[in-house]
Amino acid sequence: MSKIGTALVILVSAGVTFGALTLWQNIQDRKAEGREVTFAVGSIAEDTDDPAAWKSNFPRQYDSYLHTADIARTRYGGSEALSKVSGDTPWTTLWAGYPFSVDYREERGHAYMLDDQRETERVKQFKQPGACLHCHASVIPAYVKAGVAAGVPASDRAAAIEKGFEAVCAMPYADATKLVAHPVSCMDCHDPATMALRVTRPGFLHGIAALASSDEALAHLPSIGAWRASDRATPYDPNALASRQEMRTFVCAQCHVEYHFRGPDKYLVYPWKNGIDIEDEERYYDEIGFKDWTHQITGASMLKGQHPEFEMWNQGVHAQSGVACADCHMPYVREGAIKVSSHHVQSPLLDVNRSCQTCHRQDEAEIQRRVADIQGRTRHLMDLAENANLDLVAAIRAAIEAGVPAERLANARELHRKAQWRLDWVNAENSMGFHAPGESLRILGESIDLARQGVTDAERARAAPTTAMSGAR
Ligand code: HEC
Ligand code: HEC
Ligand code: HEC
Ligand code: HEC
Ligand code: HEC
């Protein structure tokens, strides 16, 4: 072998050895990281609501969770608490007589949920119940304590939570909020003993059990099949029966849903008995004769939609393809050899690479363009629906001012309730149509139609001679 040849062999083998060593070190690092992911499970006590206490066991998840305090904007979303009812907006008229007309903001990260609730004018200027806390705090320990205080033995944890939930719902907000200290926390979605996903919120557990108790209602949830097989002898329990992929949506559906307070005790209920389409929820409210408020201008018995993300998602192609909330809002982040779920829950448009490009091969600009198209179409139809609803308010106002008796406006008022509920539902849903583009446009189209019918009705009532009974159809 020539000298050069020998030197080459030495160099190459040194290179190979060096490479092998580096690789070996990498593997060791990764194995260590792998061990770290599972270590110390079980050492956290139940009811540890302070996320900082979970930090030493799960530093990566904890660090990304802290990022929910970050502030970044997108066109229709993002994390800045901009007012949605200041300046020139139809909503001060559409919500006349309701606290939302006073203060309603763009929502922001989970880190702020408790502070934003305590600070909103809807709480400061109006009397609100403890039921509000259900979705704005790590509230389960407070329920347990209140349940035990009401006489349930601490050994029956489930019963204590139920009793405490009932008691806290009925308390004045100012008293109830003293019982909690943290926004949504680890224990709300994880069993500390196993770290398995779990759902803890009574409102969700009752709602999903009501939904699962009838085939007819279930038919409205095509994305989730396992329920049909579940044993109807006992109420449906997602913690025992749901698949892991379903749980990756259910943990979010604990809060991102339509709700109402039932009766004088402000008992929190999700209106899912008939299904979770917008029409199912409306039918439920009609059946129990519910209204959120009486419209100050038209006198109609109104419904207010609240963040129906779970319901709207259920109507979209992603739900029907088995894509969960966490797939887009908590994508995996690779750290060394391990994949960590990002706990920086935020707008996926701020992280398209991890949130979308795992499944979609288009480049980022193309993906952003497709979302912008969907959101632009929704926004446009929403503008038309807002105008139609404003025209309806004006038409009923004109009829009232012209002295048309109330009974002849019953039909126009009913149409106002229906038309605005549809507009409001899409408006309150926070994806500007993205979660279910077709469904969003369908609902807005119906809102426009119902509002225009209402205008015709109110004008007819006004034009008719006062003795005629032409208002009702
Ligand atoms: C296929 C991906 C995908 C899935 C699945 C998905 N979302 Fe979204 N979500 C989005 C996109 C895209 C937006 C629009 C963000 C924007 O406009 O900045 C959005 C917006 C939101 C917003 C408003 C965010 C903001 O910054 O204003 C919330 C809240 C939300 N989604 C919750 C949910 C919940 C809860 C589920 C499950 C029931 C879910 N999403 C399922 C992609 C998804
Ligand atoms: C305990 C109730 C609760 C749970 C559980 C919950 N959220 Fe939220 N979420 C909220 C509240 C309340 C806000 C608004 C906070 C604010 O504006 O101060 C919010 C805000 C958001 C935002 C807006 C963030 C931003 O930066 O603007 C997104 C996106 C979101 N949630 C998605 C999800 C997803 C996905 C899940 C499940 C992995 C989930 N949430 C679980 C209550 C909850
Ligand atoms: C069923 C769960 C749930 C209940 C109950 C609930 N919220 Fe929320 N709240 C949310 C979610 C989810 C968001 C974020 C999405 C949004 O803003 O539409 C939110 C956002 C908010 C915000 C920030 C955006 C805004 O609307 O200005 C405030 C303030 C707020 N809620 C106050 C309240 C008050 C007051 C009550 C009681 C009357 C209440 N919440 C009850 C789930 C809930
Ligand atoms: C709103 C619900 C929610 C909250 C709050 C939450 N997590 Fe998670 N967490 C999830 C979801 C969803 C996954 C994905 C689980 C899966 O796919 O099995 C996850 C996964 C995990 C995992 C498994 C490894 C991984 O990264 O996928 C760990 C560990 C974890 N979370 C720790 C925490 C800690 C610590 C906190 C509090 C600082 C926390 N989580 C708060 C929903 C939540
Ligand atoms: C886990 C995989 C997965 C993720 C993550 C995902 N998608 Fe999808 N997406 C799908 C599937 C599957 C379909 C349906 C395709 C079909 O049936 O033709 C789809 C369809 C779509 C469509 C067509 C919508 C329609 O109603 O026809 C758009 C737009 C889209 N995705 C955008 C996004 C964006 C933006 C993100 C990130 C925020 C995202 N997707 C994240 C799997 C995913």
Side-chain angles (χ1 to χ4, degrees):
M1 215 187 272
S2 72
K3 268 188 187 163
I4 290 178
T6 314
L8 255 182
V9 168
I10 291 168
L11 259 180
V12 168
S13 59
V16 167
T17 312
F18 176 73
L21 276 175
T22 318
L23 189 61
W24 184 81
Q25 189 54 47
N26 254 334
I27 293 167
Q28 293 313 303
D29 287 351
R30 283 160 196 225
K31 277 194 179 152
E33 281 169 343
R35 275 197 300 276
E36 211 179 301
V37 187
T38 46
F39 103 101
V41 162
S43 64
I44 298 167
E46 185 58 277
D47 287 335
T48 307
D49 58 345
D50 183 354
W54 300 56
K55 178 183 175 179
S56 57
N57 287 9
F58 309 107
R60 295 181 179 83
Q61 287 81 7
Y62 178 76
D63 284 349
S64 62
Y65 166 90
L66 290 183
H67 277 288
T68 60
D70 290 0
I71 289 175
R73 284 207 61 198
T74 63
R75 175 142 195 189
Y76 296 109
S79 213
E80 206 181 325
L82 299 166
S83 175
K84 293 185 181 177
V85 286
S86 64
D88 185 22
T89 159
W91 291 98
T92 44
T93 304
L94 296 176
W95 286 327
Y98 199 53
F100 270 83
S101 65
V102 176
D103 189 2
Y104 174 46
R105 302 182 201 187
E106 170 65 25
E107 88 287 14
R108 49 183 179 160
H110 283 169
Y112 299 105
M113 64 170 68
L114 188 50
D115 291 342
D116 284 351
Q117 188 174 63
R118 287 172 174 166
E119 291 305 314
T120 178
E121 296 299 327
R122 303 204 300 274
V123 163
K124 287 179 157 172
Q125 293 183 26
F126 305 86
K127 239 179 74 194
Q128 299 288 4
C132 294
L133 285 175
H134 181 273
C135 310
H136 283 261
S138 197
V139 74
I140 300 298
Y143 289 164
V144 174
K145 272 188 211 142
V148 171
V152 181
S155 55
D156 193 348
R157 184 177 164 82
I161 291 174
E162 286 296 333
K163 187 76 199 164
F165 166 60
E166 203 184 310
V168 173
C169 278
M171 289 170 77
Y173 183 82
D175 298 338
T177 199
K178 292 185 189 131
L179 307 175
V180 298
H182 302 281
V184 64
S185 173
C186 321
M187 66 162 288
D188 296 315
C189 303
H190 293 288
D191 179 342
T194 61
M195 285 311 280
L197 288 180
R198 70 173 177 190
V199 282
T200 51
R201 290 292 181 282
F204 176 78
L205 291 164
H206 301 161
I208 211 84
L211 181 62
S213 66
S214 105
D215 282 324
E216 200 208 331
L218 259 189
H220 294 259
L221 206 83
S223 61
I224 297 176
W227 294 1
R228 284 183 183 76
S230 75
D231 177 12
R232 294 265 163 77
T234 52
Y236 176 79
D237 174 8
N239 286 315
L241 297 168
S243 70
R244 175 179 162 211
Q245 189 62 4
E246 286 164 1
M247 290 301 280
R248 286 166 56 83
T249 291
F250 287 177
V251 288
C252 315
Q254 299 189 88
C255 305
H256 286 268
V257 297
E258 164 64 12
Y259 70 89
H260 75 112
F261 300 147
R262 189 181 68 200
D265 291 338
K266 305 291 175 190
Y267 189 76
L268 175 68
V269 175
Y270 296 177
W272 297 346
K273 199 168 91 16
N274 300 325
I276 60 171
D277 295 359
I278 181 170
E279 284 84 6
D280 299 331
E281 294 189 341
E282 181 180 53
R283 195 151 47 86
Y284 169 84
Y285 286 137
D286 287 348
E287 280 165 12
I288 64 166
F290 182 78
K291 65 172 175 198
D292 277 299
W293 90 105
T294 301
H295 198 276
Q296 206 171 47
I297 301 168
T298 69
S301 299
M302 304 298 286
L303 296 173
K304 168 79 190 74
Q306 314 269 7
H307 33 73
E309 276 90 57
F310 172 57
E311 293 95 324
M312 188 71 95
W313 161 87
N314 178 58
Q315 293 293 327
V317 71
H318 285 104
Q320 280 144 29
S321 310
V323 184
C325 315
D327 287 319
C328 296
H329 288 279
M330 296 185 66
Y332 288 115
V333 180
R334 187 165 278 289
E335 290 193 16
I338 56 165
K339 291 194 300 183
V340 179
S341 301
S342 170
H343 282 62
H344 181 187
V345 175
Q346 63 171 346
S347 163
L349 299 183
L350 297 167
D351 194 6
V352 164
N353 178 256
R354 294 196 182 96
S355 296
C356 320
Q357 288 175 307
T358 39
C359 296
H360 294 286
R361 269 171 289 152
Q362 293 84 7
D363 62 30
E364 165 151 9
E366 173 61 16
I367 289 174
Q368 292 278 6
R369 191 191 64 73
R370 287 188 189 182
V371 177
D373 274 356
I374 292 169
Q375 294 187 324
R377 287 182 194 126
T378 310
R379 184 60 256 180
H380 174 64
L381 226 60
M382 211 191 290
D383 288 341
L384 301 185
E386 285 174 6
N387 289 340
N389 277 271
L390 283 176
D391 286 353
L392 175 52
V393 172
I396 297 177
R397 187 211 301 259
I400 292 170
E401 282 168 4
V404 176
E407 66 274 11
R408 282 190 19 220
L409 288 172
N411 202 38
R413 282 181 172 144
E414 183 61 21
L415 287 162
H416 184 206
R417 170 179 166 104
K418 286 181 174 308
Q420 193 170 313
W421 159 247
R422 283 163 178 74
L423 165 60
D424 204 348
W425 217 72
V426 179
N427 178 61
E429 207 283 329
N430 285 289
S431 72
M432 191 56 79
F434 176 80
H435 290 144
E439 177 71 348
S440 301
L441 297 181
R442 177 189 77 84
I443 293 170
L444 290 172
E446 296 206 356
S447 174
I448 295 167
D449 180 46
L450 291 162
R452 293 291 169 208
Q453 285 183 40
V455 171
T456 309
D457 223 78
E459 284 173 352
R460 215 181 276 153
R462 201 176 130 203
T466 33
T467 46
M469 295 295 292
S470 62
R473 283 193 283 182

